[in-house]
Amino acid sequence: MNFKETKIKILDLDLRGCLYLNNLSHVQHIALFFKVISRLGDGAFWYAMLFIVWLNKGLMYGLKLLYVVLSALIGTGIYKLLKHKTVRPRPYQVHQVIRLGERPLDHFSFPSGHTLHAVMTTVVLGYIQPVLLFIMMPFTILVALSRMVLGLHYPSDVIVGALIGATVASMILVAAPFLNISL
């Protein structure tokens, strides 16, 4: 199989995955559930997790939470660069059979910023406060699913967003000792 055939096969799988998950949005209570998850993933859930870490670890631990801010800045920079370079239309814009379940925050699909930030924050805060992983891991998976169920992203957008988020978070955690701030 040559490159062109491989690309076509991947795009076909991407669309089929998107269609399959988006069909779940035809059930009203499922659509509402994922819309709420998506909205919480805009920031409210993550701010609550930051607050829990701060309460649990104390005021002096506030400096360590800057790792979340630093990873968010780097992740957002990568995200914006890719959004503007790839300009991939969102699934609902290209395929009329895909139902839009939530208003997008921007115009382009690739990569999923919600997934990128969910994975990134889960990795960093999970390292700082491992007990929170029991809450954050399932929520992160639901955020990733919500982006496809709501017709906003293809599976590849979500996978790449997750990979970028995990990579940025890991780099921040590896760099922490070199910055002379222990986690």
Side-chain angles (χ1 to χ4, degrees):
M1 191 176 330
N2 65 32
F3 177 74
K4 186 176 180 178
E5 291 170 335
T6 303
K7 182 179 175 183
I8 290 170
K9 190 168 193 107
I10 290 171
L11 289 173
D12 181 56
L13 282 171
D14 218 17
L15 176 58
R16 282 197 272 156
C18 186
L19 287 168
Y20 177 80
L21 290 167
N22 185 251
N23 278 331
L24 296 172
S25 71
H26 294 265
V27 179
Q28 189 173 7
H29 66 277
I30 293 175
L32 179 60
F33 173 77
F34 281 109
K35 189 173 186 171
V36 168
I37 292 293
S38 183
R39 290 242 175 115
L40 288 171
D42 284 347
F45 178 84
W46 305 114
Y47 297 134
M49 294 298 103
L50 282 166
F51 185 69
I52 289 170
V53 169
W54 181 70
L55 278 179
N56 192 32
K57 294 289 190 175
L59 186 60
M60 294 304 291
Y61 217 77
L63 183 61
K64 291 175 176 43
L65 294 180
L66 288 176
Y67 285 111
V68 176
V69 174
L70 182 58
S71 63
L73 290 172
I74 294 168
T76 300
I78 294 168
Y79 157 83
K80 287 185 181 250
L81 177 71
L82 286 172
K83 284 273 187 177
H84 294 291
K85 290 290 181 188
T86 60
V87 295
R88 184 181 195 186
R90 293 186 179 273
Y92 76 90
Q93 294 170 319
V94 178
H95 309 284
Q96 290 182 340
V97 295
I98 294 182
R99 174 185 279 188
L100 177 62
E102 177 69 294
R103 194 174 70 83
L105 298 178
D106 59 37
H107 297 296
F108 303 116
S109 181
F110 184 85
S112 168
H114 275 76
T115 306
L116 184 154
H117 286 93
V119 169
M120 191 170 45
T121 305
T122 296
V123 170
V124 174
L125 286 181
Y127 185 83
I128 294 169
Q129 187 69 52
V131 72
L132 289 178
L133 287 171
F134 291 107
I135 300 168
M136 292 186 301
M137 290 286 287
F139 185 77
T140 295
I141 292 167
L142 290 173
V143 167
L145 287 171
S146 77
R147 309 314 289 160
M148 295 172 287
V149 170
L150 298 172
L152 295 165
H153 290 285
Y154 295 97
S156 61
D157 301 335
V158 170
I159 291 166
V160 171
L163 290 172
I164 294 169
T167 301
V168 169
S170 298
M171 289 170 57
I172 293 296
L173 294 175
V174 167
F178 299 106
L179 299 173
N180 207 18
I181 301 174
S182 64
L183 289 172

